[in-house]
Amino acid sequence: MNKSKTIENKEIVQAIVIADSYNDNFQPFTSSKPLALLPIANVPLVEYTLEILNRNGVEEVIMFCSNHTDQVKRYIQQRQEARCTWSINMTVSIISSESCRCIGEALRDLDARNMIRGNVLLLGVDSVTNADLTALLEEHKRLTKLDRGAVMTVVYKEGLRRMRSGNEVMIAMEPTTRRLLHHQRLEQQEKEHRFELPLEVFLANRDVAVCHGLLDPQIAVCSHAALPLFADNFDFQTRDDFVRGVLINEEILNSRIYVAKLAREEYAMRVNNWQSYHLVSLDVINRWAYPLVPDTAISDFRQHYKHYRNNVYRHRNVRLSRSCELDGDLVVGEDAELHDGTFVRQSVIGKGCRVGRNCRIVNSFLLDGAIVGDGSVLEHCFVGQKATVGATCSIGAGTVLGEGVEIPSGLKVNGLLLQANPPEDEWGGPVQKIAERAYTVPVADEDDVDSDSDDGAGVDEKEHGEGVATSNQLVTIGPLAVRYPASVYQPSDDEGESGPASPVPEDANIFLSEVVESLKRGLAERTNAEYLILEINSSRYAYNMALCEVNYYVVKAILQIMLQQEGVGTNAVGTLRRLLDYFGVVYRNYIRDRDAMMDCLKAFEEMCPVSDTIRAKIAQLVHYLYEQDLIEEDVIVEWYEGLEDDSIKTTLSKLVEWLQESSDEEDEDDDEED
């Protein structure tokens, strides 16, 4: 009898995953493929969702799908047959309804099927998180015991300063119980200077905490009563509608909503437009979503990527020219080819991509099979599967090339959404033919655009005529307003190439900035340089930096200060000499042995891609250090032989030849004396 009671009381951990966004924010990708298969760092969104649910002990996932259902079903079936990690202990059921057009209709459909047995996690396939969902579920269960009217716990995360992603909200809550009192979504394109909250919120509650700029990843824990509320109220089209409706009618519905705020080390963000796609991709690459990072083999048992310094992830099977430059924060997929002189930064290169010579790819995302011709420049853009960019093209900020689009050589494209074929729906809006396999995506009628969405209108005013409509949204891939610090899960340089190592905290960027500030302040005030060593050591212990890291960043800080001095472009060696007259004590304190000298030269090497001055003058600068006995000859030769950048090696070749010849002459003189 006790056994049957235990079985009866056991609650299966369930999750509802909404596989569609119910908008056109990801056109032209979603015109032919489901949102669930949109790749982040070469891994489909659905893998991030299912993997984190599996890691949190979810036993049954109910995935509701309305668009391209056959592709989602086929993909899930293939992954289950391949015995991926989440398929072993978790079942995934796909419920489809092509007539469903909002999350409210999806939840009403699920309620009619009686598939939900109790408390359930609710999130979208576009919600990327590493949060402890088990703890959130247990906390919600505790709340339901204290308050039988607790229908939902909504999850928020501290937002990004000075940056809007389109997911920000302002809330008011009761600080002790964390009961939600007010909810207001913030506009992405505007920064509010004042806010309005209902007076009743303050009159009816003794204590009110107002939180502004929180990120809403669209993750919640729902009680068994939540879905019937959707079923009873057909005006609940979105989760925001549900929240507003419950807050307005708390007493009538006898329902309350509570708030859960994630900790700093927990990550959660919604991929709901091209700009947030850009942000989340960089967050994953910068290890904010650990363990959901490329080198941990998301949902696979076999590791495919190796993690190198500066967050460069390379598949084990890639073909890279020795003169191509991988600057940092990037992923290079399987069987990709990058040829001579190509520069890549903060980008993702998909499986089987071919990038020609002398290309520049910055903050861009190339899906599998994309081809980029020689001399092309891609900045802040998205290139779809098997799309082709011809030679000497310029693909500018906000451009999205759909699957199979072909851009002819020499063409400049800026801010356009392009698809390979003309749209079948002639009522969709004006369409412009850019090339044989490139047509603009039609614009939705303004009357049809939801005022609560991130939608707007965009135009290309440069290459293809003024006033040509390009998109029904203003939110596109573009330069980020700020660069936020490295993740708490950033591995230190001591780990080298990554394996299955556990996360190691690193605050390298903050440490570097503190070293720069200390040295600049000391230079300006001409304080005793010995005091600077104490400051640097204090920062070193505060951020747990290895000695090799300190060596590297001290030299890098001196070089950054050098580049800010007047006249450095015409007399770099003289500028460095003047700085070392003061910083020499600091330099010699850290750069003492062969290993430290190698760290010093690595700092010079890695400053070359970001400074034309250092790249052009590196031979003279290294020669000066050699003459001052700050770098030994054999260390320079050893470093030179290990360089992968052919252009740097060419610049240094004469210096190294001179060093070797001088060494040979000294050996001959020693032999004659003997």
Side-chain angles (χ1 to χ4, degrees):
M1 181 173 179
N2 292 335
K3 183 177 180 181
S4 63
K5 185 176 180 181
T6 303
I7 295 175
E8 182 180 350
N9 291 337
K10 186 180 186 305
E11 181 179 312
I12 295 177
V13 183
Q14 291 181 298
I16 298 172
V17 176
I18 305 299
D20 299 287
S21 60
Y22 303 108
N23 57 43
D24 294 326
N25 287 357
F26 285 104
Q27 289 285 8
F29 180 87
T30 49
S31 63
S32 59
K33 291 186 179 298
L35 177 64
L37 299 187
L38 178 67
I40 297 284
N42 288 337
V43 176
L45 271 172
V46 67
E47 295 285 4
Y48 291 89
T49 306
L50 296 179
E51 179 66 11
I52 202 62
L53 292 175
N54 178 58
R55 286 173 178 264
N56 280 276
V58 173
E59 300 166 89
E60 182 182 4
V61 174
I62 300 166
M63 186 174 294
F64 195 95
C65 189
S66 303
N67 297 310
H68 308 294
T69 307
D70 55 337
Q71 294 186 47
V72 177
K73 288 182 176 179
R74 192 183 314 118
Y75 181 84
I76 296 297
Q77 182 179 355
Q78 290 173 352
R79 297 297 288 150
Q80 289 171 332
E81 292 173 354
R83 300 292 289 169
C84 65
T85 55
W86 52 259
S87 68
I88 296 175
N89 298 316
M90 190 172 72
T91 62
V92 180
S93 304
I94 298 178
I95 306 299
S96 61
S97 174
E98 295 184 358
S99 61
C100 179
R101 289 295 174 264
C102 66
I103 186 175
E105 291 181 8
L107 295 180
R108 283 187 277 275
D109 188 302
L110 291 177
D111 182 64
R113 296 172 187 262
N114 293 315
M115 300 182 68
I116 306 304
R117 300 177 179 87
N119 297 302
V120 61
L121 290 163
L122 173 64
L123 69 163
V125 76
D126 52 1
S127 299
V128 177
T129 184
N130 65 358
D132 187 349
L133 301 179
T134 303
L136 294 173
L137 187 59
E138 291 302 317
E139 175 62 16
H140 181 76
K141 291 179 181 179
R142 187 190 69 83
L143 286 171
T144 57
K145 291 179 181 178
L146 298 174
D147 179 3
R148 292 185 178 277
V151 291
M152 182 179 287
T153 297
V154 289
V155 177
Y156 297 117
K157 169 78 177 171
E158 289 293 338
L160 303 172
R161 295 183 179 180
R162 304 187 304 279
M163 186 187 300
R164 290 282 176 90
S165 67
N167 298 304
E168 287 77 12
V169 297
M170 180 180 68
I171 66 167
M173 66 177 180
E174 204 283 319
T176 304
T177 63
R178 292 180 290 105
R179 180 168 65 92
L180 186 65
L181 305 174
H182 177 73
H183 174 277
Q184 177 182 334
R185 189 159 297 278
L186 302 179
E187 295 292 334
Q188 175 163 3
Q189 306 299 332
E190 298 180 9
K191 296 296 178 68
E192 303 83 1
H193 297 288
R194 59 182 182 178
F195 310 93
E196 293 183 3
L197 283 85
L199 181 61
E200 294 78 9
V201 169
F202 299 95
L203 294 176
N205 301 276
R206 171 178 290 183
D207 297 319
V208 177
V210 178
C211 303
H212 174 267
L214 295 179
L215 283 172
D216 177 11
Q218 290 286 295
I219 300 172
V221 184
C222 300
S223 302
H224 66 279
L227 265 64
L229 283 176
F230 272 97
D232 295 339
N233 296 271
F234 283 86
D235 55 337
F236 291 174
Q237 301 296 305
T238 66
R239 204 192 76 176
D240 283 4
D241 293 338
F242 176 86
V243 170
R244 283 194 295 266
V246 171
L247 291 178
I248 293 171
N249 301 292
E250 268 191 353
E251 294 184 2
I252 297 174
L253 299 175
N254 190 28
S255 300
R256 283 158 293 282
I257 298 173
Y258 289 84
V259 172
K261 288 178 66 176
L262 299 182
R264 178 177 181 268
E265 64 272 13
E266 293 183 294
Y267 178 83
M269 190 158 176
R270 186 185 179 203
V271 184
N272 65 322
N273 53 53
W274 285 118
Q275 183 75 319
S276 61
Y277 173 85
H278 181 192
L279 285 167
V280 173
S281 296
L282 292 182
D283 286 344
V284 169
I285 292 172
N286 280 280
R287 308 182 78 76
W288 280 102
Y290 189 92
L292 304 182
V293 293
D295 59 313
T296 59
I298 300 169
S299 77
D300 278 335
F301 289 104
R302 182 184 177 190
Q303 186 179 14
H304 299 292
Y305 288 91
K306 296 182 80 172
H307 182 203
Y308 297 86
R309 188 171 183 169
N310 295 328
N311 288 327
V312 173
Y313 302 86
R314 282 166 40 186
H315 194 278
R316 298 179 183 274
N317 179 27
V318 297
R319 289 187 286 277
L320 304 177
S321 168
R322 290 184 64 84
S323 65
C324 71
E325 299 180 30
L326 304 182
D327 183 66
D329 296 347
L330 57 93
V331 180
V332 182
E334 180 182 6
D335 199 32
E337 288 185 11
L338 278 70
H339 291 280
D340 295 332
T342 288
F343 175 88
V344 185
R345 176 194 294 160
Q346 293 184 322
S347 298
V348 177
I349 310 296
K351 178 179 179 181
C353 289
R354 302 290 182 265
V355 181
R357 294 177 176 83
N358 301 315
C359 295
R360 179 179 174 84
I361 300 177
V362 178
N363 281 286
S364 297
F365 306 91
L366 281 62
L367 298 198
D368 296 351
I371 298 174
V372 180
D374 296 347
S376 290
V377 176
L378 282 68
E379 295 186 344
H380 300 93
C381 64
F382 179 95
V383 180
Q385 190 171 1
K386 296 182 180 179
T388 301
V389 177
T392 65
C393 288
S394 176
I395 310 299
T399 300
V400 177
L401 306 183
E403 181 177 359
V405 168
E406 297 178 4
I407 303 298
S409 297
L411 195 63
K412 293 184 179 181
V413 183
N414 190 55
L416 293 173
L417 305 188
L418 299 178
Q419 55 192 17
N421 300 305
E424 297 178 359
D425 182 11
E426 61 181 9
W427 304 105
V431 175
Q432 185 177 7
K433 180 179 179 180
I434 306 302
E436 287 299 322
R437 295 274 294 169
Y439 296 83
T440 57
V441 174
V443 180
D445 196 351
E446 289 187 6
D447 294 336
D448 296 333
V449 177
D450 185 358
S451 60
D452 290 335
S453 72
D454 297 314
D455 298 342
V459 295
D460 176 66
E461 299 178 349
K462 292 184 177 179
E463 303 300 328
H464 302 291
E466 295 186 1
V468 177
T470 61
S471 168
N472 65 349
Q473 59 168 340
L474 285 172
V475 186
T476 59
I477 298 175
L480 301 180
V482 295
R483 179 162 180 154
Y484 33 94
S487 161
V488 294
Y489 294 124
Q490 192 80 286
S492 69
D493 292 342
D494 287 347
E495 289 185 24
E497 297 176 1
S498 70
S502 59
V504 179
E506 182 194 48
D507 288 305
N509 289 341
I510 303 175
F511 174 75
L512 174 60
S513 65
E514 289 195 2
V515 173
V516 171
E517 289 303 316
S518 294
L519 296 182
K520 287 174 68 175
R521 185 175 61 255
L523 182 64
E525 299 174 0
R526 290 290 168 172
T527 56
N528 188 337
E530 296 284 353
Y531 297 154
L532 300 179
I533 297 173
L534 296 176
E535 288 188 28
I536 293 170
N537 287 340
S538 176
S539 296
R540 172 195 174 186
Y541 298 129
Y543 297 110
N544 195 26
M545 306 298 290
L547 181 58
C548 62
E549 295 175 303
V550 178
N551 300 336
Y552 168 80
Y553 285 116
V554 165
V555 176
K556 190 171 184 179
I558 293 174
L559 292 177
Q560 288 186 1
I561 294 172
M562 182 190 78
L563 293 173
Q564 297 172 5
Q565 307 301 307
E566 293 184 7
V568 66
T570 55
N571 188 8
V573 174
T575 305
L576 181 61
R577 181 188 301 113
R578 288 193 298 273
L579 289 178
L580 289 181
D581 286 343
Y582 176 70
F583 292 135
V585 174
V586 178
Y587 179 95
R588 290 183 177 88
N589 181 76
Y590 294 105
I591 311 302
R592 298 180 178 183
D593 54 21
R594 288 177 53 87
D595 290 340
M597 292 177 187
M598 188 64 73
D599 296 330
C600 167
L601 293 174
K602 286 288 185 182
F604 274 85
E605 176 187 346
E606 297 198 10
M607 285 294 289
C608 286
V610 298
S611 171
D612 292 337
T613 299
I614 293 179
R615 176 181 285 276
K617 303 290 185 179
I618 189 169
Q620 294 93 317
L621 295 170
V622 172
H623 183 226
Y624 169 72
L625 295 179
Y626 168 75
E627 284 186 331
Q628 300 300 311
D629 293 328
L630 299 174
I631 296 289
E632 294 178 0
E633 171 191 329
D634 54 347
V635 177
I636 296 174
V637 174
E638 181 183 345
W639 168 63
Y640 172 82
E641 291 175 348
L643 285 172
E644 295 184 359
D645 190 321
D646 289 342
S647 62
I648 299 178
K649 293 192 75 170
T650 301
T651 306
L652 290 164
S653 59
K654 291 185 178 180
L655 171 63
V656 173
E657 289 175 8
W658 177 79
L659 290 173
Q660 292 173 333
E661 290 173 0
S662 300
S663 179
D664 292 340
E665 289 175 2
E666 289 178 3
D667 293 340
E668 290 175 4
D669 292 341
D670 291 340
D671 292 340
E672 289 176 2
E673 290 178 5
D674 293 339

